[in-house]
Amino acid sequence: MRRLLRSMPWIGGVVAVAAVGAAIRRKGVFGGALDTALDATPGVGLVKNALEAIRGRDFIKDKISASQVPEQRI
């Protein structure tokens, strides 16, 4: 049991690193890297994700893509 509890922070770090590509595509290079670094840090990632779930939105916003920009009619 102790062995499992000691490996738990590593599991979160591995998941965060596996998702770094998707985070960088959504949030840009700096935002994606920062988001992944916070998620990979034991304890900090847990608190960050819990607060984001309570708030219902991310702390680091996604970049705006061309499909999300509203059309302007003249």
Side-chain angles (χ1 to χ4, degrees), residues 3-37:
R3 204 171 186 182
L4 177 66
L5 290 176
R6 286 184 20 197
S7 67
M8 292 296 272
W10 291 101
I11 294 169
V14 169
V15 170
V17 170
V20 70
I24 287 176
R25 279 191 297 277
R26 279 191 344 264
K27 298 177 185 296
V29 175
F30 181 74
L34 180 63
D35 188 57
T36 302

Side-chain angles (χ1 to χ4, degrees), residues 8-70:
M8 292 296 272
W10 291 101
I11 294 169
V14 169
V15 170
V17 170
V20 70
I24 287 176
R25 279 191 297 277
R26 279 191 344 264
K27 298 177 185 296
V29 175
F30 181 74
L34 180 63
D35 188 57
T36 302
L38 290 173
D39 284 340
T41 306
V44 175
L46 177 69
V47 171
K48 176 188 155 295
N49 290 324
L51 291 174
E52 286 178 345
I54 292 168
R55 287 180 70 206
R57 60 181 183 213
D58 289 340
F59 285 118
I60 301 169
K61 295 181 181 179
D62 293 348
K63 63 182 181 181
I64 297 175
S65 67
S67 63
Q68 293 174 332
V69 177

